[in-house]
């Protein structure tokens, strides 16, 4: 059953068309990896469907409700955002707040959850990502991988129906990448719906149930990981996979 359906999303910056009519569906429980070269519009797409950027046009169906992205209201946006989580490339933690406060802030301020209940929820989520022992530490005391796991706990704390990940490991070295991917693999096995912009080919191949390849602002190809990696239809996809293989 489709949880998220987007149709013909378009976005330009200073007259340059970055998204040229993107359409796809995400079903409940899906793990969808979005691949593509830098500049293909992947991050812009994620930001548009979670309203960190305003799309120029397009439609969305989320949780059975339909929206026109050009006409959507602030109230509707807040309603959607309360059901989604977003994990940024560079963590976006508050440097002046400890780990626990970073996770509880969205609960206590935006959702008016009582502090005791927010603390319990946050500790449960920190435990889930292996960071409960660091609750009183500050971001500056943590590695990049630990900060990203805190960011994932923050996203989980609001019980989202889907989590968007924007290149969650691109700022990390290989060892720290592994600890973040382990958490994401566990979330996938637990049934979390995830839309992941990534360069991690192993994650896309082994954990996703669908791969979307973007190039120059369009969906150039999509399919199962087996189809995408073993039998790509488009020459541009084959070229991208060759370049990724050579870069290893």
């Amino acid at each position: 059953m489709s949880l998220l359906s987007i149709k013909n999303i378009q976005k330009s910056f200073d007259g340059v068309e970055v998204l040229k009519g993107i359409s796809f569906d995400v079903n409940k429980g899906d793990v969808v990896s979005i691949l593509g070269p830098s500049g293909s519009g992947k991050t812009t797409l994620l930001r548009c469907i979670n309203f960190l950027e305003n799309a120029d046009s397009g439609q969305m169906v989320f949780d059975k409700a339909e929206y026109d992205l050009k006409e959507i209201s602030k109230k509707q946006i807040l309603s959607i955002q309360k059901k989604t989580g977003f994990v940024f490339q560079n963590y976006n933690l508050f440097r002046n707040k400890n780990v626990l406060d970073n996770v509880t802030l969205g609960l206590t301020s935006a959702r008016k959850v009582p502090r005791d209940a927010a603390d319990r929820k946050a500790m449960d989520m920190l435990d889930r990502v292996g960071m409960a022992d660091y609750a009183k530490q500050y971001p500056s005391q943590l590695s990049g991988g630990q900060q990203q796991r805190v960011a994932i706990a923050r996203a989980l704390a609001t019980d989202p129906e889907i989590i968007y990940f924007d290149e969650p490991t691109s700022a990390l070295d290989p060892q720290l990448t592994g600890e973040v991917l382990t958490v994401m693999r566990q979330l996938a096995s637990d049934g979390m719906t995830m839309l992941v912009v990534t360069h991690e080919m192993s994650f896309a191949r082994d954990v996703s149930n669908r791969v979307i390849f973007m190039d120059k602002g369009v969906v150039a190809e999509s399919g199962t990981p087996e189809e995408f990696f073993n039998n790509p239809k488009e020459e541009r996809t084959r070229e991208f996979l060759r370049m990724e293989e050579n870069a290893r």
Side-chain angles (χ1 to χ4, degrees):
M1 181 175 131
S2 178
L3 171 64
L4 169 69
S5 179
I6 62 172
K7 185 175 181 181
N8 201 30
I9 289 186
Q10 297 178 304
K11 175 66 178 177
S12 296
F13 291 105
D14 298 323
V16 178
E17 201 173 15
V18 178
L19 301 178
K20 303 175 183 178
I22 302 291
S23 304
F24 60 81
D25 297 338
V26 180
N27 296 323
K28 192 170 178 61
D30 274 355
V31 178
V32 179
S33 288
I34 302 179
L35 308 179
S38 297
S40 57
K42 307 182 299 297
T43 289
T44 299
L45 171 66
L46 270 198
R47 292 178 65 84
C48 283
I49 62 180
N50 205 40
F51 308 101
L52 301 172
E53 297 278 359
N54 296 317
D56 296 332
S57 62
Q59 291 76 43
M60 171 189 287
V61 178
F62 183 81
D63 203 17
K64 301 179 182 177
E66 297 186 25
Y67 305 94
D68 183 328
L69 296 186
K70 189 175 182 181
E71 306 293 339
I72 193 165
S73 69
K74 289 184 178 179
K75 183 178 179 181
Q76 289 173 321
I77 289 172
L78 287 173
S79 174
I80 294 170
Q81 288 178 330
K82 282 188 174 182
K83 300 177 183 178
T84 66
F86 200 103
V87 176
F88 296 86
Q89 179 175 333
N90 293 313
Y91 331 128
N92 278 32
L93 301 179
F94 291 100
R95 314 301 293 179
N96 64 334
K97 295 185 181 297
N98 66 27
V99 164
L100 182 64
D101 289 342
N102 264 284
V103 179
T104 58
L105 186 61
L107 298 173
T108 56
S109 63
R111 297 165 191 255
K112 308 306 180 188
V113 176
R115 182 63 200 231
D116 286 352
D119 283 353
R120 287 194 299 272
K121 182 71 170 182
M123 289 304 297
D124 285 346
M125 296 304 103
L126 287 168
D127 184 58
R128 190 172 176 183
V129 301
M131 289 298 295
D133 291 343
Y134 298 83
K136 296 301 183 183
Q137 296 199 19
Y138 286 79
S140 62
Q141 298 172 286
L142 305 177
S143 71
Q146 289 171 328
Q147 291 184 66
Q148 194 61 292
R149 285 190 279 155
V150 172
I152 293 172
R154 178 180 58 189
L156 289 170
T158 58
D159 295 321
E161 296 187 31
I162 185 171
I163 300 181
Y164 304 118
F165 291 84
D166 181 20
E167 299 277 13
T169 62
S170 65
L172 306 177
D173 65 34
Q175 181 181 354
L176 302 180
T177 292
E179 65 186 54
V180 172
L181 290 178
T182 295
V183 169
M184 293 175 66
R185 288 171 189 267
Q186 184 59 53
L187 293 180
S189 69
D190 292 343
M192 174 60 68
T193 308
M194 301 193 290
L195 186 60
V196 185
V197 169
T198 185
H199 281 109
E200 297 294 335
M201 296 296 117
S202 62
F203 179 89
R205 184 192 293 270
D206 301 337
V207 183
S208 308
N209 64 307
R210 191 144 55 90
V211 176
I212 291 172
F213 175 61
M214 287 183 60
D215 187 40
K216 298 178 182 177
V218 302
V219 174
E221 185 161 347
S222 67
T224 67
E226 184 177 26
E227 291 167 343
F228 182 83
F229 287 103
N230 297 340
N231 190 30
K233 298 181 180 67
E234 303 296 328
E235 176 55 33
R236 182 65 188 90
T237 310
R238 292 191 286 271
E239 179 186 344
F240 172 78
L241 291 173
R242 283 195 298 269
M243 290 175 64
E244 288 293 322
E245 185 66 32
N246 292 336
R248 291 181 195 174

